[in-house]
Amino acid sequence: MEMKELLKQGIAEALDKAVAAGSLPAGTYPDIALEVPPQKEFGDFATNIAMQSARVAHKAPRAIAEAIVAQMDYPWLDRADIAGAGFINFFLKHGIIYDTLKNILAAGAEYGKAPLREDDTVQVEYVSANPTGPLHVGHGRGAAYGSALVNLLRAAGYHVQSEYYINDAGNQMNNLAASVNARYLELLGQPSSIPENGYHGHDIIETAQAIIDQDGDKYLHMDEAKRLELFKDRAYAEKLKALKRDLAHFNVTYDNWFSERTLHPKAIEDVCRVLEQRGKIYEKDGALWLKSTDYGDDKDRVVIRDNGVPTYLAADIAYHKNKYDRGFKKMINIWGADHHGYVARVKAAIAALGYDPAQLEVLLLQMVSLFRDGKPVKMSKRTGQAITLNELIEEVGTDAARYFFIMRSLDTQLDFDLNLAKSHSNENPVYYIQYAHARIYSIYRQAHEAGIEWNTGWDDVKWDTLKDSYDLELIKKMAAFPEEVKRAARERAPHRIAHYVHELAGLFHSFYNHCRIIQEDQDLQKARLALVTAVRITIANSLAILGVSAPEKM
């Protein structure tokens, strides 16, 4: 059992014993949370469970702490001290601390992962940008965060299905076709203009040029309606292929790509029929309206326009019904902050269908601002348009882009410092972390060059030689990883893993600067080689959740 889990279990057992002995009243006590104290003289771990339990026990926190500590007689516990109003500080015997290293070395790439839960599958839908052009920086934050959340939930033991909802129906696709058509005509010397709601990106010119390169002017005299339909299909296929390619380049893949086209018209007609049968739709001014105000929305919403064309909401209602029909018990949608007002109407529609809207969790990503030399950057020098995700990757690399996107909570605006992301310095957090991982491989190479055979198993390691405070702080930090994974997953907070691994890298660099690894004391040498191997595993497992590489050389 992991060290922190063993301690939590011990506290829970002591609490139960205190209740059985009459020292504390029976009741539903809160979950036990452990923290690593900021100063080592306060012990290996601390808990505020006594303070959290005051309302349940109707006692002073210090009295609750005394009742718990009185029941904590374990062979792995050196002592437990009560501090302040009721904090409990725990000092563990080194033997149990060393068990953490054994667990890490035995688990390897599985360290930090929880057993597979029995819960039904969680579905995570993210990015879902229109297939009308390249992904931009804002999409990049959603892609990095969403894929890291999927990795995190899987590490925490959840069944997860990731999905991209392809918005491939509606006016945006007609506007895409019209934009390509306008550029096609323009490149062939014909008068044309981009439609008012068309797309002006350089990629549209490239699409039109590719059609000309392949087929020349053979479509010039084709009926325009047929030409637009043909260009729509050609452009859509090209843009979707590019989306998948660019996301894969950014370490983002999906279990399922769901086409909105498959909802038209039958699924939308069916869901409207269900709503009508439930008395949740009414007709007004020739349109069909959802009674969304019955479920907390600020006004009712049109689902079918007076011309018979479905709104985007109608397709989204059908799409979410499809999710429920597929049996997902928990759905997480990651949307941009500009969709804030859309959450209430989608949840209202879910409730109107008779489903539990609480099963849908919507996470909103705040905006990203790029900075270079302390000044905001908005436009690409190459195209004059918004900066694409590919351009960002070209400048700073996939690893830096992903880490910088993830390192802040999704509900805070992100200022992305391009200069910092490219720098090879300790101020660049992703470089700092990756350098720690690569540094451990350099230690391996030094050991090999010195003729030291150390990676032959860990059964004969003399763990009790690891007595330095730098050794012990590293071990305690690694012991926190499994619980950090669980907490980050519970809070939908991949940035917690980014912060955790940055702190672990900092402890390792301090250890490296103060402690000799390759040395004359053979027992301490092997123990420290085992220790840094555990650090390497924990760093690599953390970076794997973030979708960031763990290099062997820098």
Side-chain angles (χ1 to χ4, degrees):
M1 184 182 293
E2 301 294 345
M3 181 170 61
K4 289 185 76 171
E5 289 300 318
L6 183 64
L7 178 55
K8 287 174 71 174
Q9 181 177 297
I11 297 168
E13 289 176 355
L15 203 158
D16 288 343
K17 289 177 183 176
V19 170
S23 303
L24 294 175
T28 304
Y29 285 83
D31 292 338
I32 297 162
L34 293 174
E35 300 289 344
V36 176
Q39 296 172 284
K40 58 188 177 185
E41 57 264 31
F42 295 142
D44 299 306
F45 295 100
T47 183
N48 65 350
I49 183 62
M51 303 170 80
Q52 294 294 316
S53 301
R55 289 186 179 181
V56 178
H58 302 292
K59 287 177 175 282
R62 193 168 183 90
I64 299 170
E66 289 170 352
I68 293 172
V69 169
Q71 301 293 338
M72 293 198 69
D73 182 18
Y74 299 113
W76 42 263
L77 181 64
D78 187 53
R79 72 180 195 275
D81 294 345
I82 301 170
F87 286 100
I88 308 175
N89 297 327
F90 299 97
F91 297 79
L92 305 181
K93 292 181 179 177
H94 287 172
I96 187 64
I97 294 177
Y98 300 142
D99 283 347
T100 292
L101 287 180
K102 300 174 189 176
N103 290 337
I104 298 171
L105 295 168
E110 297 301 304
Y111 179 62
K113 293 183 180 179
L116 199 60
R117 298 159 59 102
E118 296 302 320
D119 308 57
D120 290 331
T121 302
V122 177
Q123 193 223 41
V124 181
E125 181 225 321
Y126 62 102
V127 182
S128 298
N130 294 343
T132 54
L135 296 170
H136 296 292
V137 169
H139 300 134
R141 187 180 192 188
Y145 174 86
S147 58
L149 179 61
V150 169
N151 295 338
L152 175 60
L153 291 171
R154 286 176 176 155
Y158 294 84
H159 297 264
V160 184
Q161 188 212 59
S162 58
E163 184 158 287
Y164 190 112
Y165 178 58
I166 312 167
N167 293 277
D168 54 5
N171 284 333
Q172 73 270 19
M173 301 309 296
N174 295 329
N175 291 332
L176 173 63
S179 302
V180 172
N181 182 59
R183 291 303 191 189
Y184 175 81
L185 295 174
E186 182 183 86
L187 289 169
L188 291 174
Q190 302 296 312
S192 67
S193 60
I194 300 290
E196 183 179 351
N197 295 318
Y199 300 100
H200 297 260
H202 192 264
D203 62 293
I204 300 296
I205 299 174
E206 292 173 346
T207 297
Q209 186 62 59
I211 293 172
I212 294 171
D213 291 344
Q214 182 173 332
D215 298 324
D217 64 356
K218 67 182 288 186
Y219 308 117
L220 191 58
H221 303 293
M222 178 185 281
D223 175 76
E224 185 170 71
K226 291 183 179 179
R227 186 168 68 240
L228 285 169
E229 197 62 32
L230 184 144
F231 285 0
K232 181 195 293 188
D233 292 341
R234 290 274 288 266
Y236 168 61
E238 177 191 290
K239 302 305 178 192
L240 185 59
K241 182 179 179 181
L243 272 177
K244 293 182 177 182
R245 181 193 64 228
D246 293 348
L247 286 166
H249 188 208
F250 198 48
N251 297 339
V252 178
T253 57
Y254 291 87
D255 298 313
N256 191 45
W257 291 74
F258 189 102
S259 168
E260 182 189 346
R261 289 184 178 185
T262 63
L263 301 172
H264 293 263
K266 188 176 185 307
I268 292 174
E269 292 172 352
D270 289 348
V271 79
C272 287
R273 190 175 302 111
V274 171
L275 290 168
E276 188 175 12
Q277 290 168 352
R278 292 178 59 84
K280 305 303 181 183
I281 274 183
Y282 63 91
E283 185 177 344
K284 178 183 174 183
D285 299 328
L288 291 181
W289 296 70
L290 174 69
K291 293 181 179 179
S292 52
T293 51
D294 289 355
Y295 302 95
D297 198 5
D298 58 346
K299 62 181 180 180
D300 290 344
R301 306 289 175 174
V302 176
V303 289
I304 305 294
R305 300 181 181 92
D306 56 8
N307 61 1
V309 176
T311 61
Y312 288 119
L313 179 59
D316 280 335
I317 296 171
Y319 175 46
H320 284 85
K321 181 180 184 301
N322 179 279
K323 291 187 180 189
Y324 281 89
D325 290 346
R326 280 186 274 163
F328 297 122
K329 300 303 182 184
K330 186 68 179 178
M331 291 154 281
I332 300 173
N333 290 357
I334 301 171
W335 294 346
D338 56 336
H339 285 70
H340 181 271
Y342 201 66
V343 177
R345 69 193 74 167
V346 171
K347 290 209 168 198
I350 289 170
L353 286 168
Y355 298 116
D356 180 5
Q359 290 177 239
L360 173 65
E361 182 179 350
V362 179
L363 307 176
L364 298 175
L365 283 161
Q366 294 298 321
M367 293 181 62
V368 178
S369 298
L370 297 179
F371 287 83
R372 184 184 287 114
D373 302 325
K375 298 176 182 178
V377 181
K378 295 183 179 180
M379 295 297 177
S380 165
K381 291 181 180 179
R382 185 184 309 169
T383 65
Q385 306 292 325
I387 294 176
T388 67
L389 177 59
N390 273 342
E391 288 175 307
L392 179 67
I393 293 172
E394 286 175 15
E395 182 163 354
V396 306
T398 292
D399 287 341
R402 286 188 63 95
Y403 188 91
F404 273 62
F405 280 140
I406 297 168
M407 69 179 181
R408 298 279 181 266
S409 173
L410 82 164
D411 57 1
T412 59
Q413 184 165 327
L414 175 64
D415 292 339
F416 193 117
D417 187 331
L418 293 166
N419 300 89
L420 180 61
K422 290 189 292 184
S423 70
H424 290 181
S425 70
N426 289 344
E427 285 69 38
N428 179 351
V430 68
Y431 177 84
Y432 187 66
I433 296 162
Q434 290 179 317
Y435 182 54
H437 189 268
R439 194 172 227 180
I440 293 170
Y441 272 94
S442 74
I443 294 169
Y444 294 161
R445 289 189 288 271
Q446 291 172 31
H448 178 73
E449 290 166 5
I452 299 168
E453 293 186 13
W454 57 274
N455 194 15
T456 55
W458 309 107
D459 293 340
D460 60 343
V461 173
K462 302 228 174 3
W463 303 106
D464 58 0
T465 58
L466 297 172
K467 298 176 181 178
D468 194 285
S469 62
Y470 290 99
D471 300 322
L472 299 175
E473 288 305 305
L474 264 180
I475 299 170
K476 286 189 287 183
K477 187 65 178 180
M478 289 186 285
F481 182 55
E483 188 172 308
E484 190 63 52
V485 169
K486 293 175 187 175
R487 180 175 177 181
R490 192 167 57 246
E491 297 177 5
R492 317 294 192 236
H495 67 277
R496 291 191 63 92
I497 303 301
H499 296 168
Y500 168 85
V501 71
H502 186 257
E503 291 169 1
L504 177 60
L507 289 174
F508 169 75
H509 288 305
S510 294
F511 159 84
Y512 182 87
N513 291 330
H514 289 88
C515 301
R516 292 189 64 186
I517 300 165
I518 308 301
Q519 58 175 280
E520 293 180 1
D521 185 333
Q522 302 272 314
D523 291 337
L524 180 56
Q525 175 179 271
K526 183 154 188 178
R528 282 197 169 144
L529 285 166
L531 173 61
V532 300
T533 298
V535 174
R536 174 184 62 76
I537 290 169
T538 310
I539 289 176
N541 293 357
S542 301
L543 291 177
I545 290 173
L546 303 179
V548 174
S549 69
E552 296 182 12
K553 290 184 178 181
M554 297 283 283

